Each structure stands twice: as C-alpha cells, then as structure tokens.
Amino acid sequence: MASGLVLYGYWRSSAAYRVRIALNLKGLGYENRPVHLVKDGGEQHAPAYAAMNPQELVPSLRDGEQVLTQSLAIMEYLDETRPQSPLLPADAQGRARVRALAQLVACDIHPLGNLRVLQYLERELGADEAQRGGWSRHWIAAGFAAMEAMLASDAATGRYCHGDAPGLADACLVPQVYNARRWKLSLDDYPTIRRIDAACNALEAFRAAAPEAQPDAPVG
C-alpha cells in the first residue's frame, strides 16, 4: 500500500478493531495481514510472529522497518506521524479526558475479557461457557456504568465521546459495545453509550472496520 503500513490483526480482536477504526478515520490505507488467534493453537505464538511481537498479541503495526505494538500506543503514534484528522483534542484538558475514556475501555474492561484470560478460566479453573459469559458481562457492566456516568455528566460529550468529531475514545468504545452484544449484556442502562455507538456506526470508517467486514471473518 502507498502508506507503507501493515496491520497484523484478527477479525474479532477488539484491540485490532480499534486500530482499524483509527486508520480509517485518518484516511490511511494499509495492508491487512490476519493472525488467527485460535487455529493451530494460535498463530500469534508462531516463532516468526513472536519475534516481531514478544507479547504474542495482536495488533502489531509495521511502518516501514518499525514495528509498533499495543493499540493505544499505535493510535497515538499514528496521530503524531500522520496528524490529519486528529484522534485527540488540541487542548491538554481535552486530551486527558479522551485518554481517560479510552483507557477505561482498553486498560480496565477489555483485558478482563481477553481471549487468553477466558482460555485460562476454562483450562485452569474449569469455568464453563455460562460462567465465562457471566464473568465477561460483569466486568463490561462495571466499566460501562462508570463510562456512562462520565459521558452523560460532562458537557464535553457531544455527538461522540468528545465533541462532534469521532476520535480515540470512540475507537475504543465501539469494539467494546460489540463485545457487550456478543456476550448478551443488556445495554438498557447505558443510553449515552448506545447513542454514541449508533452515531459512530453510521460512519463508513467504523462500518469498514467492523469484524464481519474483515477478510479473515468466517463466511456464513
């Protein structure tokens, strides 16, 4: 691709999903290289991929010879190196607010429902599917209760998480809402989150990043 960007991800990875949104919001073309997280024990554990990303997680983003890991770091890197359509506000207070919302999802909610955590619950602690579902719903609900309060009570919230342009916080929120629906969590208690999610998914940048729109998504 002309941008020289290569994204290693998985169709249903929330972290890869948020980076796809960021790339699309900034109008950046990229090559998509799927890493299947389940097949053959997980392609992320293959030696070649582990050499590139020692955490053996997705996403990884290659920019020329540089390899970046961790979705929030990748998105801020993109903002610093490709400043068009910024993902963060211009003012320090706004940036702090957006980072807090993004980290609420990426650091507090998402890791507890990550694939490797759910696999550990199943393999080591014997949690069945219903128990794993209950675990996921509990932690998403706890995080969403706080996020709903933060969004609903702040005048800085607009059509999107911060003002009337989508950015970093929205790129984190939408994949987590997708996960909430996947785990059958009722969203009735989170009207602001539902409104922002709907506004985001009306945009092509979000629709094109959706799991089912990815080339490695299962057919049918």
Side-chain angles (χ1 to χ4, degrees), residues 79-161:
D79 229 21
E80 293 173 6
T81 59
R82 281 89 169 171
Q84 70 274 19
S85 302
L87 303 173
L88 286 164
D91 63 295
Q93 184 176 344
R95 290 194 299 275
R97 177 177 185 265
V98 167
R99 286 179 174 127
L101 292 168
Q103 289 174 27
L104 191 160
V105 173
C107 302
D108 294 335
I109 303 176
H110 170 248
L112 289 165
N114 205 3
L115 175 64
R116 60 180 180 169
V117 170
L118 297 177
Q119 288 176 334
Y120 183 87
L121 290 173
E122 179 182 14
R123 295 171 182 170
E124 303 300 325
L125 302 180
D128 60 23
E129 184 175 358
Q131 291 170 316
R132 298 194 304 276
W135 167 278
S136 295
R137 287 189 294 275
H138 171 81
W139 292 115
I140 297 171
F144 273 10
M147 193 162 195
E148 176 68 24
M150 292 167 69
L151 291 168
S153 65
D154 197 325
T157 302
R159 180 170 176 81
Y160 302 101
C161 286

Side-chain angles (χ1 to χ4, degrees), residues 22 29 42 52 58 79 94 117 158 160 168 170 175 181 185 192 197 216:
M52 182 176 66
V58 296
D79 229 21
V117 170
Y160 302 101
L168 187 76
D170 306 281
R181 292 191 172 110
L185 172 69
T192 312
D197 177 69
D216 56 322

